[in-house]
Amino acid sequence: MANIPLRNGGPAARIAVIPGDGIGKEVTPEAVKVLRAVAAAGKRALEFVEFDWGADKYLREGVSLPAGAVEMLRDEFDAILFGALGDPRVPSNQHAADILLGLRFKLDLYVNARPVELLHERLTPLRDRKEQDVRIMVVRENTEGLYVGIGGFFKKGTADEIDKSNAMTFAHDLWQRVFQEVRQEYADIESRHLYIDTLAMEIVRDPRQFDVIVTCNLFGDIISDLGAQLAGGLGLAPSGNIHPGRTSLFEPVHGSAPNIAGKGIANPLGSVLTAGMLLEFLDWKAEATAVHSGVKEALFKNYLTPDLGGAKKTTEVGDWLAERVAKSLVP
Ligand code: NAD
Ligand code: IPM
Ligand code: MN
C-alpha cells in the first residue's frame, strides 16, 4: 500500500488501544480481533493494552488526556490503535482536541499518511474509473497549520469583524520556498504546485494525475475526506499519524458517527486497513499484505456492512476477516 517508515520490525510489539467514542468503540475491537488472529497465525507476539479515554471519562471525571499519558505511550508502546473521538454531549469537542490533537502534537506525529486506494471499481462515484486510476497517498502535515491556534482577529468587536484568524497572504510562503528547494534534489520525480481549489477540482476530474499529494494540516483533512469518497467512502479509509521510528498512532479517517453509533452496523474495514498500516509500520510485511488482501476479498465477496450495500453486522465482518486472514497466513 505504502512505504511507511518503520518502528523496528522485531517479532513482538506492544500496542496501546484507544477506542474512544461512538463507532470507535465498535470498529476498534474488530481491528484488534484481526490483529490477534494475524499475530497468532504469523507466530508474532502482539500485546494490547486498552485505555478508556473519551467522552464518558471526560464527563465522569473531567479527565481527557491523563497526566503522564504521552510519556507512557512514548516509552512503553510501539504503536497506538485509535478509534474516533466526538460526542454530542461534549459540544466543544474539548476532549477530542486534548486527546487526539494532544497526541499528534506531543508525540510529534508530523506525518499523516492517508492512502486513497480504490479496492473495487464499483466503489467509486466517478464514471469509468478502474482500481489503478485511484491510488494516491495523501501526506498531510499533522502538527502545525491552523490547528495550532495561533493568529489574530481582524476588526474584532466592530461591525466589520471577520471570523477568520489567519492572514492567508503569509500562510504558505514557507511551503512554497521549501517545495521549490526540495524538488531540485529529486529531478526524476515529476512535481508541481497546485492551489487547493484547483486540486479539489482536478482530483475529481482525473485522479490518475496524482500518486502523492503533500499538503498542510487543514487542506489535508479536507482532501482526505474527498479522497475517501472517491474510493468507497469514509467507512473504508485508513490513516497513520507517524513520526518515523517513534511510537506512532493509527486511526481510521472517519469520526465517531453518532448517527449510526450503537446499531452494530459501522463498517470496520477502515479500522482493519488501519491495523494493516500499523503492521506495515512494524515491518510485518506478510501480515500487512494478508490484512489488505482479506479486506479486498470481503469487498469482492460482498461480505459488507450497509454503507457499502451489504447486510452484515460490524462483528460479523470482523469475525469473517479474522478467520480468512489467519488462514491465508498458514502455509
Ligand atoms: P463521521 O466521520 O463521524 O461521519 C460522517 C458520515 O459517514 C456519517 O453519515 C457516518 O454515519 C458515516 N460513517 C463514518 N464512518 C463510518 C463507518 N465506519 N461505517 C459506516 N458509516 C460511517 O463525521 P461527522 O459526523 O462529521 O463527525 C462526528 C463526530 O466525529 C464529530 O464529533 C467529529 O468532530 C468527530 N470526528 C472525529 C474524528 C477522529 O476522531 N479522527 C474524525 C472526524 C470526525
Ligand atoms: C480527522 C478529524 C480531526 C482533524 C478532528 C476530529 C480534530 O477530522 O482526523 O480527520 O481535524 O484532524
Ligand atoms: Mn477529518
Side-chain angles (χ1 to χ4, degrees):
M1 191 186 332
N3 288 316
I4 298 166
L6 306 179
R7 168 68 174 177
N8 56 31
R14 294 195 84 216
I15 313 294
V17 180
I18 308 172
D21 303 330
I23 65 165
K25 287 189 198 163
E26 299 173 47
V27 297
T28 311
E30 302 311 312
V32 171
K33 198 185 273 177
V34 172
L35 282 175
R36 281 190 196 282
V38 159
K43 300 197 170 46
R44 307 271 201 172
L46 275 182
E47 193 186 328
F48 298 92
V49 182
E50 187 169 320
F51 298 94
D52 66 348
W53 308 339
D56 286 342
K57 187 180 177 74
Y58 182 64
L59 291 167
R60 199 173 59 233
E61 302 167 24
V63 174
S64 51
L65 186 65
V70 174
E71 296 73 14
M72 186 250 321
L73 292 170
R74 187 191 62 203
D75 298 339
E76 297 175 25
F77 291 91
D78 296 292
I80 302 157
L81 181 67
F82 189 93
L85 287 172
D87 187 301
R89 295 169 300 165
V90 188
S92 67
N93 229 6
Q94 187 58 47
H95 70 303
D98 292 353
I99 300 170
L100 181 56
L101 300 182
L103 292 177
R104 285 178 185 167
F105 294 175
K106 291 176 187 162
L107 292 170
D108 195 20
L109 306 174
Y110 61 89
V111 180
N112 192 346
R114 297 190 151 184
V116 172
E117 190 184 14
L118 182 59
L119 296 174
H120 191 300
E121 66 177 56
R122 82 179 145 77
L123 295 173
T124 186
L126 301 178
R127 191 170 6 102
D128 300 333
R129 296 292 177 206
K130 304 266 180 244
E131 285 88 344
Q132 64 272 18
D133 296 338
V134 186
R135 257 182 102 85
I136 306 167
M137 178 56 84
V138 177
V139 182
R140 167 188 180 189
E141 197 292 316
N142 209 29
T143 58
E144 297 178 2
L146 287 187
Y147 283 72
V148 301
I150 53 172
F153 295 99
F154 189 58
K155 297 186 179 175
K156 189 170 188 176
T158 74
D160 297 327
E161 178 172 352
I162 291 177
D163 183 15
K164 190 163 192 172
S165 306
N166 68 328
M168 291 298 271
T169 323
F170 306 112
H172 290 146
D173 179 68
L174 177 65
W175 276 85
Q176 299 273 4
R177 275 186 286 135
V178 173
F179 173 62
Q180 295 306 341
E181 270 173 42
V182 173
R183 69 188 298 216
Q184 311 293 335
E185 297 169 27
Y186 298 92
D188 52 330
I189 297 177
E190 197 188 317
S191 60
R192 66 194 158 125
H193 169 265
L194 291 179
Y195 288 107
I196 190 63
D197 48 354
T198 307
L199 173 63
M201 175 182 70
E202 288 295 332
I203 195 178
V204 172
R205 190 180 66 78
D206 186 3
R208 290 174 304 182
Q209 300 171 74
F210 308 106
D211 295 318
V212 179
I213 293 170
V214 181
T215 186
C216 68
N217 208 339
L218 182 63
F219 294 169
D221 183 40
I222 298 166
I223 285 296
S224 56
D225 270 29
L226 196 162
Q229 205 55 49
L230 300 186
L234 277 173
L236 264 176
S239 84
N241 301 261
I242 297 168
H243 185 122
R246 291 204 209 157
T247 308
S248 295
L249 184 154
F250 296 81
E251 55 165 344
V253 173
H254 66 72
S256 56
N259 60 336
I260 57 162
K263 297 186 179 156
I265 55 165
N267 187 347
L269 296 182
S271 188
V272 171
L273 286 170
T274 295
M277 287 181 78
L278 188 156
L279 292 169
E280 265 187 85
F281 173 72
L282 296 175
D283 202 21
W284 296 10
K285 291 197 176 70
E287 288 83 354
T289 305
V291 169
H292 194 257
S293 307
V295 170
K296 263 184 121 161
E297 200 183 337
L299 290 166
F300 275 78
K301 295 202 164 140
N302 254 312
Y303 208 94
L304 303 168
T305 45
D307 57 305
L308 293 180
K312 301 294 176 206
K313 293 277 187 190
T314 309
T315 51
E316 288 177 308
V317 176
D319 289 342
W320 188 88
L321 266 174
E323 202 188 309
R324 292 280 155 151
V325 172
K327 263 193 200 143
S328 75
L329 280 167
V330 176

